[in-house]
């Protein structure tokens, strides 16, 4: 696996996720120290989807982030480019619609979703700005976007401690628990290389979304960005 940066090779990232699919959700729970469920609930609340609506959950992996919508009777499409992740998800939740797709060239019609969301996957897309534009295209005017992603703690001493955890503590834990420890070294590096909250907010608005706001979680380890597609937005 190549060293992480904002320049990614999609085929390498896809192969990495295929390889870790079976234990991916368990590893997330361990490495986040049990915070993933709390973060997921905040994302669901921020999106505000209701029964009868259709939600795109991009980079959904095994569908853990899609389950709350399905459980609430909301139509959700779990889209991911990793076939390994999709196979694990479909086996576990056959009631959810899993679709293989490239975030930069989504296999959906214009204005086909009431809202779109992506959790902890945007930084693994080779062209994240293009993915944001694609999500805009497939979302109906007035629809909402919610992006949850690892970010930069605002308090400098905590940021230093967090970075040390990512690069020193995470790889040894992954070595003991994962079938592909190098994948988690890549993931740690991808978090460190990812832009801070304000820059991501700027990317979202540059893609055509409006009124972008963000909320820091766990001291800024994670940021949840929320924006809206303009009512008058017409698809290109």
């Amino acid at each position: 696996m190549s060293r992480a940066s904002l320049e990614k090779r999609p085929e390498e990232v896809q192969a990495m996720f295929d390889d870790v699919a079976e234990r991916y959700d368990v590893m997330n729970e361990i490495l986040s120290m049990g915070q993933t469920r709390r973060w997921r609930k905040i994302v669901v609340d921020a999106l505000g989807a209701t029964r009868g609506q259709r939600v795109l959950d991009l980079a959904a992996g095994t569908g853990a982030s899609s389950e709350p919508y399905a459980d609430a009777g909301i139509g959700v499409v779990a889209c991911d480019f990793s076939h390994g992740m999709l196979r694990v998800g479909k086996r576990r939740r056959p009631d959810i619609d899993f679709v293989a797709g490239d975030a930069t060239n989504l296999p959906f019609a214009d204005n086909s979703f009431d809202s779109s969301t992506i959790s902890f996957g945007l930084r693994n897309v080779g062209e994240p700005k293009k993915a944001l534009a694609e999500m805009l295209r497939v979302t109906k005017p007035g629809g909402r976007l919610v992006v949850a992603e690892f970010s930069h703690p605002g308090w400098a001493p905590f940021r230093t401690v967090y970075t040390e955890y990512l690069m020193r503590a995470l790889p040894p834990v992954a070595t003991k628990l994962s079938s592909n420890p190098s994948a988690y070294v890549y993931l740690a590096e991808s978090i460190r290389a990812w832009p801070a909250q304000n820059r991501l907010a700027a990317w979202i608005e540059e893609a055509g979304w409006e009124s972008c706001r963000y909320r820091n979680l766990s001291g800024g380890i994670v940021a949840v960005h929320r924006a809206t597609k303009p009512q008058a937005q017409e698809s290109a």
Side-chain angles (χ1 to χ4, degrees):
M1 185 69 206
S2 301
R3 308 296 284 185
S5 71
L6 296 183
E7 302 290 331
K8 299 177 179 67
R9 297 179 181 177
E11 68 279 5
E12 290 188 351
V13 178
Q14 181 179 10
M16 178 195 73
F17 280 106
D18 287 345
D19 191 47
V20 301
E22 291 290 344
R23 292 182 56 81
Y24 185 70
D25 293 327
V26 173
M27 286 294 295
N28 280 349
E29 283 295 309
I30 293 171
L31 296 174
S32 71
M33 293 176 282
Q35 290 296 299
T36 53
R37 293 182 184 181
R38 172 176 169 265
W39 296 337
R40 196 175 297 134
K41 183 180 185 306
I42 290 170
V43 169
V44 171
D45 290 345
L47 198 67
T50 59
R51 185 182 290 270
Q53 291 188 330
R54 191 169 184 242
V55 171
L56 170 63
D57 186 16
L58 187 57
T62 64
S65 57
S66 306
E67 290 177 351
Y69 304 105
D71 292 343
I74 297 166
V76 60
V77 174
C79 182
D80 201 280
F81 73 155
S82 167
H83 291 271
M85 289 281 194
L86 295 172
R87 281 193 296 270
V88 172
K90 192 64 177 178
R91 185 172 68 239
R92 189 182 64 189
R93 287 297 300 259
D95 59 312
I96 292 177
D97 186 12
F98 287 89
V99 175
D102 178 355
T104 64
N105 186 22
L106 292 172
F108 307 113
D110 296 355
N111 305 322
S112 53
F113 294 93
D114 294 284
S115 54
S116 297
T117 183
I118 182 168
S119 294
F120 309 108
L122 189 60
R123 75 183 191 284
N124 295 315
V125 177
E127 298 179 83
K129 294 180 182 179
K130 191 172 180 180
L132 291 168
E134 273 291 274
M135 295 174 82
L136 182 79
R137 178 183 67 79
V138 303
T139 303
K140 297 176 182 179
R144 184 170 290 176
L145 168 75
V146 173
V147 178
E149 191 51 88
F150 290 107
S151 199
H152 295 232
W155 189 45
F158 178 50
R159 185 166 60 245
T160 300
V161 170
Y162 174 59
T163 301
E164 290 295 308
Y165 164 75
L166 280 176
M167 302 315 300
R168 295 190 180 185
L170 190 152
V173 172
T175 298
K176 292 181 179 180
L177 300 175
S178 173
S179 61
N180 186 354
S182 64
Y184 288 90
V185 174
Y186 161 82
L187 290 173
E189 291 178 341
S190 72
I191 293 169
R192 189 170 63 172
W194 188 246
Q197 293 88 326
N198 287 338
R199 188 176 172 199
L200 178 54
W203 284 5
I204 290 170
E205 294 196 340
E206 287 168 10
W209 299 92
E210 65 180 10
S211 304
C212 184
R213 301 290 184 270
Y214 66 83
R215 172 186 174 184
N216 285 328
L217 308 179
S218 302
I221 288 175
V222 169
V224 175
H225 287 68
R226 183 173 68 178
T228 304
K229 180 172 179 175
Q231 287 285 354
Q233 178 74 44
E234 295 293 338
S235 298

